[in-house]
Amino acid sequence: LLDWAAPWRPDWMALTLIYWILTLPRKIGIGSAWLLGLIVDALKGGLLGTHALGFAIIAYITIRLHHRLSLFPLHQQAIFIGFMLLLYKSALLWIYGIHGVAPESWLYWSPVLSSMVLWPFVFVLLQGVSGRAAIR
């Protein structure tokens, strides 16, 4: 229906993963991120471990910086989200490149921008759903 909007779809799994790591850093960690990545790989039918590696990288950095991130306002957290997704997409691109699968256009990077823009809304929505206090 909206084929033009498909490349701009935010990376919901990565956003949700980052939110839960920020909220529960002692319970949601690198192992959880790896497992989630394996599930995404299996559902997408891709090379097993591709998304797992990307999510594990995101998890490690987010856990290491979660105390600092909790002090940032949401718009600054969105910039962090952008950097994390750039790193994630770069790791995926590297793995795709090794296997000879290149993205078709620059739109490969568009979920980074849409995820950054939507982060404040996702954060508030998940915070309301989880019923937890703000990480601030």
Side-chain angles (χ1 to χ4, degrees):
L1 185 73
L2 294 175
D3 291 338
W4 63 270
W8 292 92
R9 184 177 52 239
D11 196 327
W12 298 112
M13 288 294 206
L15 290 175
T16 306
L17 176 66
I18 292 170
Y19 171 80
W20 285 111
I21 290 171
L22 287 173
T23 304
L24 301 169
R26 297 193 197 299
K27 292 185 180 186
I28 307 295
I30 298 169
S32 301
W34 183 267
L35 183 61
L36 178 64
L38 288 177
I39 292 169
V40 170
D41 289 330
L43 290 174
K44 289 190 174 190
L47 181 64
L48 202 59
T50 304
H51 289 87
L53 176 64
F55 286 166
I57 292 169
I58 287 174
Y60 175 77
I61 295 171
T62 304
I63 289 168
R64 295 282 298 175
L65 298 175
H66 87 276
H67 289 296
R68 291 182 194 159
L69 289 171
S70 66
L71 301 174
F72 292 175
L74 288 177
H75 69 280
Q76 288 178 344
Q77 287 181 9
I79 295 169
F80 170 79
I81 297 297
F83 285 124
M84 287 297 93
L85 289 178
L86 276 175
L87 186 61
Y88 167 66
K89 297 290 275 180
S90 296
L92 293 182
L93 183 63
W94 176 66
I95 294 170
Y96 294 153
I98 290 172
H99 290 283
V101 181
E104 297 176 13
S105 73
W106 62 272
L107 289 174
Y108 172 79
W109 301 101
S110 58
V112 173
L113 292 174
S114 61
S115 297
M116 281 178 60
V117 169
L118 288 177
W119 171 251
F121 302 105
V122 170
F123 181 88
V124 170
L125 176 70
L126 288 175
Q127 188 177 354
V129 169
S130 71
R132 296 211 173 257
I135 62 171
R136 287 179 222 157

